[in-house]
Amino acid sequence: MAARVALAAAAVVVGPVALSGTAHAAPAIGAGRHHLGNAPQPPGGSSDEGSAQPGRTLHLTITLVPSDPQGLADYAAEVSTPGSSAYHRYLTPEQFAARFGADPQTVDDARSWLTDQGLTPGPTTPNRLSIPVTASISTVQQAFQISIHAFLEP
């Protein structure tokens, strides 16, 4: 049996940023914070071994809210619907970013906030909707006001 670090799978929107994996909101980057969902139950038969090793490194993806969520949903439906004038007419990453990606100031604000919290952001994706980050468990817990536990699976 091996201990595995479990990060709850609920999501939080922090201003213009969504973090998959937390059940509690973090300090807002922009306006407000919103709790989305609840943490799932650990796998049956697993045991909570307590707090995860604080120095262990996590690799997370911070997801930014699209600039036009409804437009993105509509486009996804149109491009996927046979008979639609947009059927199979895909956008380049640059076109997608211009139409649906977070605006550059939002990306800059999110990256600055992440850095200020001690996380190390990687390159923003070309569509401007996600930022990979690396940080220790203790840094992630402090930045997003969450607890991360290790679970032993059967």
Side-chain angles (χ1 to χ4, degrees):
M1 293 192 279
R4 294 184 183 227
V5 175
L7 187 60
V12 171
V13 175
V14 183
V17 177
L19 169 69
S20 291
T22 73
H24 303 284
I29 292 169
R33 53 187 177 204
H34 311 280
H35 177 115
L36 302 176
N38 297 304
Q41 294 297 315
S46 64
S47 61
D48 185 344
E49 300 295 305
S51 295
Q53 298 172 347
R56 184 171 176 177
T57 300
L58 293 179
H59 302 277
L60 306 170
T61 298
I62 305 302
T63 304
L64 304 175
V65 175
S67 60
D68 181 5
Q70 186 59 54
L72 177 54
D74 293 345
Y75 172 74
E78 290 171 12
V79 79
S80 305
T81 303
S84 164
S85 62
Y87 184 60
H88 281 187
R89 294 183 190 250
Y90 303 108
L91 301 174
T92 66
E94 294 79 18
Q95 290 169 323
F96 183 96
R99 194 163 163 190
F100 303 115
D103 73 57
Q105 186 61 55
T106 298
V107 173
D108 290 345
D109 290 348
R111 294 181 62 81
S112 292
W113 185 87
L114 292 164
T115 300
D116 290 349
Q117 300 306 307
L119 289 87
T120 304
T124 303
T125 56
N127 66 13
R128 293 197 318 253
L129 289 182
S130 63
I131 304 169
V133 297
T134 304
S136 68
I137 286 176
S138 63
T139 300
V140 171
Q141 289 181 132
Q142 184 172 355
F144 294 103
Q145 301 173 9
I146 61 171
S147 295
I148 301 173
H149 283 225
F151 287 83
L152 190 62
E153 295 181 335

